[in-house]
Amino acid sequence: MSQQIAIVMTEVFLRRLTPALMPFVRRQQDFRVVSIHRPIDELLDLLRELQPDGLITEWLPEVTEALLSLDMPTVIADTDFSYPGVVSIDVDDYAVGAAAAEAFQQAGYRSFACLGNGTPYSGQRIDGFIQAVDLPVSVHTETAFEDARYSEHFVAPNARLRRWLESLPKPVGIFAVHDPLGRFLCSSCQQLGISVPEQVAVIGANNDDLVCGLSYPMLSSVAIPWDSIGALVGESMQDLLVQKRAPAEPVLVPPGGVVLRHSANHLLVDDPQLRRAMSYLSERMQDSISVGQMCDELRLARRSLERKFKEFYRCTPWEMLCRLRVAQAKQLLAQTNHPIGRISDLCGFNDAERMAVVFKRVAGEAPSSFRKNRR
């Protein structure tokens, strides 16, 4: 006999988790979907009528506490708050901020800022960013989205945002704590005559294609491993129904890497030689290239180029190539099931052992350990 599981969440969040939840249908779990935007009393009445065996939901102020009053096996898919007998699963929000900071630092930025929305995860992501850069960071909180749904985009920039943006030393890397804020920031800069990414580079978080792809310019973003989170949600619900107990601590999943699009990239430096070199490394990183080969093809003086890399990026051209390859490997390890040997080829290492050595030196852990920790 199938088990009936109620899913109470937004369509945006349901879209993220659906691919990973589909296999659980074959395990005789019958999912009943209810929009979390219904009035609370209506939600409670519907669930009392359905009498599901379990509940999967996302965290929303007031709504979550009301749902928990029904006292049924519950998995919350996006919070690190702990509730007795409830499984809480979330991305590591501190690590999300740190990933954005790492991308800006790798691109050579020296001026940093964060755009938040006042939520608990916003504060954690900003704290992770600030700790990672270890430099002064200007923070602005935008409250204009309180009445907007996640995918909606109709808010115009206000005077406070204008003053904040104009006060920032340029060029500046700004981390927006989620993609709708990043999209809002990009469009606001366009309206205020601030060029993106030349003056303001923007990285959001969640890597939602429908938001990032509809932003102008298209939005760079920290990828969240929704498939891993969805699989954990399904497995946790099964365990909860069988064992009747939940772990004492929230389950935190590390983020993927930063997916670079037009709103932030490492090619926007003033020096034309650095720009040409970075473009070459990015386009050829899958090939077996060397710094000497690059300098010959671009007709650049190697010693001068290495000095410029040290001054601007604080690393050598070869170290930059290793960082680019490792960043690509991180994304493939977290988001695909490719064997490590295949990933080695796709990232230009062409040897799994070589990739393991470089990956551990740059990332601080082996590729297999990185993948395991993110699964």
Side-chain angles (χ1 to χ4, degrees), residues 198-213:
E198 291 81 2
Q199 293 177 283
V200 171
V202 182
I203 294 177
N206 294 347
N207 196 37
D208 278 315
D209 288 338
L210 292 179
V211 180
C212 297

Side-chain angles (χ1 to χ4, degrees), residues 168-325:
L168 298 174
K170 313 292 190 305
V172 59
I174 302 181
F175 170 52
V177 298
H178 72 357
D179 291 334
L181 271 180
R183 178 177 58 185
F184 165 71
L185 179 58
C186 287
S187 66
S188 296
C189 286
Q190 297 292 322
Q191 294 178 56
L192 298 175
I194 300 171
S195 59
V196 177
E198 291 81 2
Q199 293 177 283
V200 171
V202 182
I203 294 177
N206 294 347
N207 196 37
D208 278 315
D209 288 338
L210 292 179
V211 180
C212 297
L214 293 178
S215 171
Y216 179 80
M218 286 191 290
L219 182 65
S220 300
S221 185
V222 182
I224 308 300
W226 299 118
D227 284 350
S228 297
I229 292 174
L232 277 171
V233 167
E235 292 164 2
S236 297
M237 176 52 68
Q238 280 197 322
D239 292 343
L240 200 55
L241 292 173
V242 173
Q243 300 178 11
K244 308 295 184 184
R245 64 174 183 267
E249 299 294 329
V251 180
L252 298 182
V253 180
V258 175
V259 178
L260 289 175
R261 299 184 181 90
H262 298 148
S263 72
N265 63 55
H266 46 253
L267 306 180
L268 296 163
V269 294
D270 292 332
D271 190 290
Q273 291 189 354
L274 282 177
R275 195 159 55 243
R276 290 173 62 206
M278 285 300 297
S279 179
Y280 182 97
L281 293 177
S282 300
E283 294 172 1
R284 308 283 184 87
M285 103 178 127
Q286 294 184 5
D287 302 333
S288 297
I289 59 175
S290 67
V291 176
Q293 176 186 345
M294 176 181 70
C295 291
D296 289 343
E297 291 189 25
L298 298 180
R299 297 183 180 180
L300 299 175
R302 179 167 180 165
R303 183 171 296 179
S304 173
L305 184 66
E306 290 182 336
R307 175 179 53 78
K308 289 182 177 183
F309 261 82
K310 278 287 189 181
E311 290 175 354
F312 192 83
Y313 294 114
R314 299 178 182 175
C315 68
T316 66
W318 178 251
E319 288 169 340
M320 176 59 75
L321 178 60
C322 290
R323 291 181 188 178
L324 293 173
R325 285 173 168 167

Side-chain angles (χ1 to χ4, degrees), residues 24 69 73 91 150 172 252 256 284 312 315 339 350 370:
F24 292 92
S69 69
V91 68
Y150 182 89
V172 59
L252 298 182
R284 308 283 184 87
F312 192 83
C315 68
N350 300 319
F370 179 90

Side-chain angles (χ1 to χ4, degrees), residues 64-220:
T64 301
E65 282 74 10
L67 293 175
L68 295 181
S69 69
L70 296 174
D71 194 26
M72 64 178 65
T74 301
V75 177
I76 307 177
D78 67 333
T79 186
D80 58 4
F81 292 160
S82 294
Y83 299 95
V86 174
V87 181
S88 297
I89 299 172
D90 198 9
V91 68
D92 185 338
D93 286 307
Y94 292 97
V96 170
E102 181 183 347
F104 280 134
Q105 288 177 308
Q106 182 170 302
Y109 284 89
R110 304 289 185 270
S111 176
F112 305 100
C114 292
L115 179 62
N117 60 11
T119 60
Y121 73 82
S122 172
Q124 292 174 347
R125 291 181 178 185
I126 290 172
D127 286 346
F129 185 96
I130 292 172
Q131 292 171 17
V133 299
D134 197 26
L135 286 170
V137 177
S138 179
V139 178
H140 178 82
T141 300
E142 182 58 59
T143 59
F145 287 84
E146 291 178 353
D147 296 326
R149 301 280 175 87
Y150 182 89
S151 58
E152 290 183 317
H153 177 45
F154 56 81
V155 178
N158 54 50
R160 285 183 61 248
L161 180 69
R162 175 195 285 270
R163 289 194 296 270
W164 178 66
L165 287 172
E166 291 177 344
S167 72
L168 298 174
K170 313 292 190 305
V172 59
I174 302 181
F175 170 52
V177 298
H178 72 357
D179 291 334
L181 271 180
R183 178 177 58 185
F184 165 71
L185 179 58
C186 287
S187 66
S188 296
C189 286
Q190 297 292 322
Q191 294 178 56
L192 298 175
I194 300 171
S195 59
V196 177
E198 291 81 2
Q199 293 177 283
V200 171
V202 182
I203 294 177
N206 294 347
N207 196 37
D208 278 315
D209 288 338
L210 292 179
V211 180
C212 297
L214 293 178
S215 171
Y216 179 80
M218 286 191 290
L219 182 65
S220 300

Side-chain angles (χ1 to χ4, degrees), residues 353-374:
E353 291 185 7
R354 166 102 183 121
M355 171 177 152
V357 171
V358 176
F359 193 99
K360 188 168 185 178
R361 175 167 58 81
V362 174
E365 58 183 324
S368 56
S369 175
F370 179 90
R371 168 172 273 176
K372 180 180 179 180
N373 290 338
R374 276 140 187 84

